[in-house]
Amino acid sequence: MIVVHAEEFTKGRQAQRYRLALTVELEHGTGRTRDISSSGMFFMTDQFFTLGQSIRFTLLLEHVDPSPSSHVQCQGTVVRVEPQEGHLGVAVAFTEYRFESPLSRIG
């Protein structure tokens, strides 16, 4: 298991963004990333979020690693919310993330 604290990345857009569509598992629904970086991500969802809200979610790495158990557990803060094409666009600054896979649970 790898745990990363991302406080040093949360000011402005200091990290390069990558267009990447990953499934986001939320407490009461799902979403889909539009882009992601080491400091945060932007995703689309039908769920409601407010500016400054703390959020926990899971990113599924189905395109990166076909293993159904490979994912990233994340925590962050909502830094932007905007309506987009019948959904809500949500920008999140990561405060912590942890990569998990079947191999990380061995030992």
Side-chain angles (χ1 to χ4, degrees):
M1 176 181 357
I2 300 170
V3 177
V4 178
H5 295 277
E7 295 90 8
E8 66 273 13
F9 296 114
T10 58
K11 294 182 181 175
R13 286 195 184 135
Q14 298 176 359
Q16 182 174 353
R17 290 182 289 168
Y18 300 94
R19 288 222 178 262
L20 185 61
L22 297 174
T23 299
V24 181
E25 289 185 341
L26 304 161
E27 185 176 354
H28 298 291
T30 61
R32 195 80 171 160
T33 61
R34 182 186 74 187
D35 55 59
I36 191 166
S37 74
S38 62
S39 62
M41 68 176 198
F42 186 89
F43 71 100
M44 303 299 292
T45 185
D46 292 331
Q47 304 299 304
F48 180 76
F49 292 95
T50 58
L51 190 63
Q53 179 179 348
S54 293
I55 179 176
R56 289 178 181 254
F57 54 94
T58 302
L59 296 175
L60 302 182
L61 303 178
E62 66 259 8
H63 300 295
V64 178
D65 182 349
S67 169
S69 298
S70 293
H71 57 279
V72 184
Q73 295 288 341
C74 303
Q75 294 181 30
T77 303
V78 175
V79 295
R80 189 173 78 246
V81 178
E82 56 188 52
Q84 296 220 346
E85 302 170 7
H87 299 284
L88 198 62
V90 182
V92 175
F94 294 136
T95 55
E96 184 175 315
Y97 49 91
R98 179 178 63 243
F99 292 86
E100 294 189 353
S101 71
L103 293 178
S104 69
R105 291 189 286 274
I106 296 174

